[in-house]
Amino acid sequence: MSDRFARFRRMAWHAVVGRSPRSVAGQVLLVQVVLVVLLVVCGVIALVLQSERDSSVEARRRSIAVAQTFAHSPGLVQAVHSPDPSKELQPLTEAARKTAGVDFIVVMDTKGIRYTHPIPSKIGQRFVGTIGPSLAGKVYTESVHGPLGHEEQATVPVVDAHGRVVALVSAGLKVKNVTSQVDRQLPIILAAGAGALVVSTGGTALVGRRLRRQTHSLAPDEMTRMYEHHDTVLHSVREGVLIVSDDGRLLLANDEARRLLELPAEAEGHNVRELSDLDPATVELLVSGREASDEVHFAGGRLLAVNQRPTDGAGGPRGTVVTLRDSTELQAVSGRAEVTRERLELLYDAGLGIGTTLDVVRTADELAQVAVPRFADFVTVDLADAVLHGEEPLPTATEVRRVAVSGIQDDHPLYEQGRLIDFLPSTPQARGYGSGRSELVPDLSTAEGWLVQDPDRTRRILDYGIHSLIAAPIQARGVVLGMANFWRSKREPFDEEELSLAEELVARAAVSIDNARRYTREHALAVTLQRSLLPRALPEQSALDVGYRYLPAQSGVSGDWFDVIPLPGGRVALSVGDVVGHGLHAAATMGRLRTAVHNFSTLDLPPDELLSHLDELVGRIDQNEACPETADEIVGATCLYAIYDPVTRRCVMARAGHLVPALVAPDGSVAFLDVPAGPPLGLGGLPFQTAELELAEGSQLVLYTDGLIEDRARDLDEGMELLRLALAGHPDRTPEESCQAVLDELLPERPKDDIALLIARTRALPAERVADWDVPRDPAAVSGMRLAVSDTLEEWGLSELGFGMELVLSELITNAIRYASDPIHVRLIHDRTLICEVADGSSTSPHLRYAAMTDEGGRGLFLVSQLAERWGTRYTPHGKVIWAELAIPDLDALLAE
């Protein structure tokens, strides 16, 4: 090898002295000169072509301008119509031609016969060119070979006062007469090219001088042979070689280094810190630049002896050269360390990968996944069926359900996932379940207790190749929850040392499974409580067609609620609310607030007053529960309350910190209603405002909680836009279908908050089912009202209710005339019940009392309460309304009897 290197040194020195013309520097210089010359030639050609094109365009533009100017000159039309047009126009065209600098201006008639021409002999002859477009009123340009040579000419029409074309004017210019730019720019380009040639030649000479010094003036084939020789030597040695730059980049790695460190093919050129497969200690050594002698490092399952030296000792570039040697004498120790490392990695991965969710089945599946294939070929997890429902397990291995199965193959004969199994007492699973200790079965073919569990299946398991088993109990807080079974078929049977590893794996999973079980139980209790506090079915009413959805959060229950509450007069109240927080406290508070909404609605309060009462109630709850133990459970809630009247189609609503509702018009358009924003419930001190609007029949009112549109992956505006898109364009969709469409579009994969959605389509009560009258303040008007009501009931087919309604109406009108003030108004509504309303201008409320035998009065309201199904009073901004409802008999039932 030394002789070969000496021969290459002599060749390099001879190349420097001889300055071979085939050197790399000479070839680079020649290429540079050729490139500059080509660039100059291309520039000149491009300039000439561009100049010719610009000359033609300029000639055409000037011809158009001159022709149009002359065609519009004053007196031209009169000259054309004169007895001798040529005599009058020839001097004018010649003067204009010389002034404009064109080669000719020709005036001709509509047949193309010239009146003028720079050559007088051409007058009276036909014009050389196309006149058809100009006779149609257009400006036409063309390139022709006329009497004066190759010309660019333009022909324009001469139009009289009536818009008729009476003559044509053509002007032209020879292209060669247009001043060319080539003569002016060509010297500049040539001078610039010469300068660039000189500069590039000088720069190339300097670069070539340095290149000759670096390559020792070697020819390309000589350099190739030298590189191939060095590369062969570098990659043939059985010792890893690395060269690392001063900034930590890997400059070179031979084949042995790649094998020992398991480097990727594209490792060269990358920073050593970016090579994720290297051991951190090895990376630290390579980037440190310090000297090292036979340091032992672990990499890729090998123990390597590493030597490192700097490369700048002889004046070279800063960096380090590293040699790697596989320490074969330490292989036995390395093998043992590898087993330990794999087990530690398995336990570490189990700690990270098991228990990521509070789901029992998911946690069991994570245990099975992490153990295959690094510890076992197949893993099955069996849990007591009660554990899946959050309950305490039974003390015996009966009613155990297989919840997880994982293996290196899917065609195994083990019990399938989801199967309910009763293990016999003689099986390893039953013994481990009862004793709480792991069972090791090195050879399943000799385990008679296991073989009798299911002889046909166990025989198929043995024939499949499964030969060894560890059955480890899953226990937490002293209670066995199930069994984890580890099976092997492709490697050595389990031993006692691996039994402890299996127990450690199962112990890590047992805590997570028990936590998931307890969470499942608490979550089920909370959801049950919450659902019991929500409406189980919507009440019957005629004002709205309602669809709803309620979805509890997967992470825990919350305080969302909704309600549909029938009100007197055929009206319906809608409410949606959300209690801040999660858990049983929020669910219980929700139940209290929902009950309060029902109670306040029986008083028939307007929305703003009802929210004020709710706000006061939440404030009292906070005061009553204020203590150090519940400092973090201060109640906060939002609510939206709306009342819809099908008779007037008016809707009144108010909100307390809640999101604005959406309205889907009958044409399918969607808008978010402008309802004044009130403060959340519990703040106190601020009033609530109402918004009143008239809804077209068939409109859909959409009420929802924030869990529907708010999510970590999107902001509030994006969620509301998605809701609008999900609702828009489907006016004929039922509320139930709209609810499902909205959830399909907006529902997150794992909701973090409860979702309440209520969609109500409005109905209008037909005008023929409503009758109203203004009543004068005169006792004699009562008899007239009884007659009018009797006639109306006859029209509605409810004459059998006439007697009772007349008594009720008489009492209510008489009370209004005696004790109230004007105006007095009576309204009769035929809905699911027969509703009578008497409105007056007084705010005094009547009270039911029981009259004594000697009392002359006081029996009117008692009579009303006995005849009516319900009765009551509601207040209006201008007084009050006393109402009574009479049940309408089921005519079909009466006919059947």
Side-chain angles (χ1 to χ4, degrees):
M1 183 178 293
S2 60
D3 294 338
R4 191 172 297 177
F5 275 112
R7 186 177 64 194
F8 276 109
R9 287 197 203 97
R10 289 194 297 272
M11 292 175 58
W13 176 249
H14 180 270
V16 172
V17 175
R19 298 181 182 273
S20 171
R22 297 182 288 107
S23 66
V24 176
Q27 293 179 3
V28 171
L29 175 61
L30 180 60
V31 170
Q32 291 279 3
V33 173
V34 172
L35 286 177
V36 172
V37 172
L38 287 176
L39 289 175
V40 173
V41 171
C42 292
V44 171
I45 295 174
L47 177 62
V48 171
L49 295 176
Q50 181 66 27
S51 178
E52 290 180 357
R53 178 182 175 279
D54 292 344
S55 297
S56 298
V57 173
E58 177 62 20
R60 189 172 300 170
R61 185 186 62 79
R62 289 172 57 182
S63 299
I64 293 173
V66 172
Q68 287 184 329
T69 302
F70 194 84
H72 294 87
S73 60
L76 180 59
V77 177
Q78 292 79 4
V80 170
H81 291 298
S82 65
D84 190 359
S86 296
K87 182 178 180 181
E88 294 186 15
L89 293 175
Q90 178 68 11
L92 296 176
T93 56
E94 285 302 301
R97 180 182 64 81
K98 295 175 181 180
T99 302
V102 296
D103 292 322
F104 70 87
I105 298 178
V106 174
V107 182
M108 68 196 84
D109 61 10
T110 56
K111 296 181 180 180
I113 305 302
R114 301 189 184 102
Y115 291 141
T116 65
H117 196 276
I119 303 174
S121 62
K122 302 296 183 180
I123 296 175
Q125 296 182 8
R126 181 172 295 279
F127 173 70
V128 179
T130 304
I131 64 174
S134 300
L135 291 175
K138 300 179 180 179
V139 176
Y140 184 74
T141 61
E142 58 185 333
S143 177
V144 299
H145 292 276
L148 302 178
H150 181 209
E151 301 163 328
E152 292 288 339
Q153 65 183 20
T155 306
V156 299
V158 178
V159 183
D160 62 5
H162 301 288
R164 294 176 298 180
V165 178
V166 298
L168 302 175
V169 175
S170 178
L173 184 64
K174 289 187 284 188
V175 176
K176 68 180 182 178
N177 290 339
V178 179
T179 302
S180 176
Q181 301 295 324
V182 177
D183 297 337
R184 293 197 300 269
Q185 297 184 4
L186 187 57
I188 298 175
I189 290 183
L190 292 176
L197 182 60
V198 172
V199 172
S200 63
T201 303
T204 304
L206 294 176
V207 173
R209 182 178 178 182
R210 182 173 181 180
L211 189 59
R212 284 195 302 271
R213 185 168 60 252
Q214 292 181 345
T215 62
H216 302 290
S217 297
L218 293 175
D221 56 343
E222 296 172 343
M223 292 183 63
T224 301
R225 287 197 301 271
M226 181 175 287
Y227 174 78
E228 290 175 350
H229 173 77
H230 288 183
D231 189 66
T232 301
V233 173
L234 178 67
H235 293 288
S236 297
V237 296
R238 302 307 299 169
E239 190 171 89
V241 179
L242 301 173
I243 298 179
V244 183
S245 66
D246 188 44
D247 58 357
R249 287 186 303 111
L250 180 61
L251 301 179
L252 182 142
N254 68 348
D255 293 344
E256 184 68 8
R258 293 178 183 274
R259 186 184 69 83
L260 295 176
L261 297 179
E262 297 181 357
L263 296 177
E266 65 279 3
E268 292 180 354
H270 289 76
N271 194 290
V272 175
R273 295 183 179 88
E274 299 176 0
L275 304 176
S276 58
D277 294 337
L278 292 182
D279 183 69
T282 305
V283 173
E284 181 63 26
L285 173 62
L286 295 179
V287 300
S288 66
R290 62 180 177 84
E291 292 189 9
S293 298
D294 291 333
E295 288 190 8
V296 178
H297 287 265
F298 185 81
R302 300 179 180 86
L303 290 176
L304 304 180
V306 183
N307 291 274
Q308 181 168 277
R309 294 291 183 274
T311 60
D312 58 350
R318 293 181 58 85
T320 56
V321 58
V322 182
T323 60
L324 309 170
R325 187 176 67 256
D326 193 357
S327 301
T328 56
E329 65 276 9
L330 300 177
Q331 286 300 315
V333 178
S334 176
R336 188 66 178 173
E338 173 67 12
V339 173
T340 304
R341 183 188 65 82
E342 290 179 354
R343 293 182 178 180
L344 289 176
E345 286 184 354
L346 177 60
L347 293 176
Y348 176 76
D349 292 342
L352 295 178
I354 298 176
T356 59
T357 64
L358 289 173
D359 184 89
V360 174
V361 176
R362 177 72 179 274
T363 304
D365 186 65
E366 289 170 347
L367 169 61
Q369 295 291 338
V370 79
V372 176
R374 291 191 288 178
F375 179 67
D377 297 326
F378 299 93
V379 176
T380 59
V381 180
D382 307 323
L383 295 178
D385 202 42
V387 172
L388 301 178
H389 302 91
E391 302 171 0
E392 292 290 336
L394 297 176
T396 59
T398 56
E399 296 186 359
V400 174
R401 190 174 299 276
R402 180 146 294 176
V403 297
V405 179
S406 180
I408 57 176
Q409 292 176 300
D410 297 332
D411 58 347
H412 56 80
L414 299 172
Y415 283 132
E416 66 278 4
Q417 184 176 351
R419 179 164 182 157
L420 192 64
I421 309 171
D422 290 334
F423 286 108
L424 297 178
S426 61
T427 60
Q429 290 86 351
R431 293 197 302 270
Y433 193 101
S435 64
R437 293 189 297 271
S438 300
E439 293 283 332
L440 171 63
V441 184
D443 187 1
L444 288 172
S445 61
T446 61
E448 297 181 358
W450 174 75
L451 292 172
V452 298
Q453 168 70 27
D454 188 344
D456 293 337
R457 185 176 294 271
T458 53
R459 179 54 56 188
R460 283 190 286 124
I461 291 175
L462 293 175
D463 294 341
Y464 187 79
I466 297 176
H467 55 75
S468 182
L469 165 68
I470 290 180
I474 304 172
Q475 54 183 340
R477 298 179 296 106
V479 178
V480 177
L481 307 175
M483 298 295 294
N485 307 295
F486 302 92
W487 314 79
R488 277 187 178 176
S489 63
K490 301 293 186 182
R491 53 180 126 180
E492 295 297 323
F494 291 110
D495 55 28
E496 291 292 339
E497 188 174 345
E498 289 173 319
L499 181 63
S500 61
L501 178 59
E503 292 174 344
E504 181 67 24
L505 279 175
V506 174
R508 296 185 179 225
V511 176
S512 298
I513 292 176
D514 187 55
N515 289 338
R517 177 190 67 84
R518 297 169 65 184
Y519 170 78
T520 301
R521 180 183 59 192
E522 295 177 2
H523 185 265
L525 291 174
V527 169
T528 302
L529 170 63
Q530 188 178 34
R531 290 193 179 277
S532 67
L533 297 175
L534 290 171
R536 303 195 178 191
L538 297 182
E540 295 183 357
Q541 43 81 31
S542 302
L544 298 170
D545 181 13
V546 180
Y548 68 93
R549 291 291 188 278
Y550 175 78
L551 299 176
Q554 294 188 7
S555 59
V557 296
S558 184
D560 292 13
W561 86 87
F562 66 92
D563 249 319
V564 179
I565 307 172
L567 297 178
R571 298 167 303 135
V572 175
L574 302 174
S575 69
V576 172
D578 184 6
V579 176
V580 177
H582 294 80
L584 294 177
H585 182 264
T589 303
M590 176 271 290
R592 298 170 70 176
L593 294 183
R594 178 173 174 262
T595 302
V597 170
H598 270 270
N599 292 337
F600 291 142
S601 66
T602 59
L603 301 177
D604 215 342
L605 298 176
D608 54 340
E609 292 186 22
L610 184 141
L611 292 181
S612 298
H613 287 291
L614 273 184
D615 181 61
E616 183 180 356
L617 172 63
V618 173
R620 288 201 304 270
I621 292 175
D622 285 339
Q623 292 177 1
N624 296 336
E625 295 184 357
C627 61
E629 292 78 6
T630 61
D632 296 333
E633 298 182 357
I634 300 301
V635 175
T638 65
C639 182
L640 187 146
Y641 187 79
I643 298 176
Y644 173 70
D645 188 348
V647 178
T648 62
R649 293 187 289 105
R650 306 290 295 180
C651 183
V652 183
M653 63 183 67
R655 64 188 179 108
H658 204 78
L659 297 170
V660 294
L663 179 65
V664 183
D667 60 359
S669 60
V670 179
F672 290 96
L673 300 179
D674 185 14
V675 182
L681 300 175
L683 296 183
L686 296 175
F688 299 96
Q689 302 179 34
T690 60
E692 183 173 358
L693 63 155
E694 183 174 339
L695 303 180
E697 185 176 6
S699 301
Q700 294 190 50
L701 197 60
V702 183
L703 284 67
Y704 52 92
T705 56
D706 56 0
L708 178 66
I709 61 174
E710 288 185 350
D711 188 65
R712 293 181 180 179
R714 60 174 183 255
D715 56 21
L716 181 63
D717 293 338
E718 183 181 357
M720 296 186 72
E721 178 62 18
L722 290 176
L723 175 61
R724 186 188 67 80
L725 294 175
L727 294 170
H730 301 281
D732 299 330
R733 197 163 55 188
T734 65
E736 280 292 329
E737 293 172 345
S738 295
C739 286
Q740 190 59 47
V742 168
L743 292 184
D744 292 342
E745 184 67 27
L746 279 81
L747 185 64
E749 182 178 355
R750 293 182 61 85
K752 303 296 183 183
D753 196 3
D754 287 13
I755 296 175
L757 174 63
L758 187 67
I759 299 181
R761 172 178 285 167
T762 60
R763 298 172 180 165
L765 196 65
E768 60 271 12
R769 301 185 68 173
V770 180
D772 54 354
W773 302 270
D774 290 323
V775 181
R777 191 178 176 83
D778 183 2
V782 176
S783 60
M785 285 304 306
R786 285 199 299 266
L787 180 60
V789 168
S790 177
D791 293 340
T792 301
L793 295 180
E794 185 71 26
E795 294 177 4
W796 289 349
L798 301 176
S799 56
E800 68 275 9
L801 298 180
F803 178 75
M805 180 54 71
E806 289 178 13
L807 289 179
V808 170
L809 192 63
S810 297
E811 292 299 332
L812 296 182
I813 295 178
T814 301
N815 283 342
I817 293 174
R818 286 182 178 179
Y819 307 112
S821 58
D822 291 333
I824 300 174
H825 187 79
V826 174
R827 185 168 69 169
L828 204 62
I829 301 173
H830 179 196
D831 195 15
R832 290 179 177 270
T833 59
L834 184 60
I835 305 169
C836 171
E837 296 180 345
V838 178
D840 59 62
S842 173
S843 59
T844 58
S845 176
H847 296 283
L848 177 65
R849 68 185 182 89
Y850 296 94
M853 296 295 295
T854 58
D855 290 344
E856 295 182 359
R859 296 177 178 83
L861 288 181
F862 178 76
L863 180 63
V864 170
S865 66
Q866 296 300 310
L867 293 175
E869 190 176 64
R870 294 191 308 159
W871 76 280
T873 305
R874 72 172 181 270
Y875 293 93
T876 67
H878 307 291
K880 68 177 181 298
V881 175
I882 304 177
W883 55 270
E885 293 183 2
L886 273 68
I888 297 177
D890 189 350
L891 297 181
D892 294 337
L894 294 176
L895 293 176
E897 293 178 359

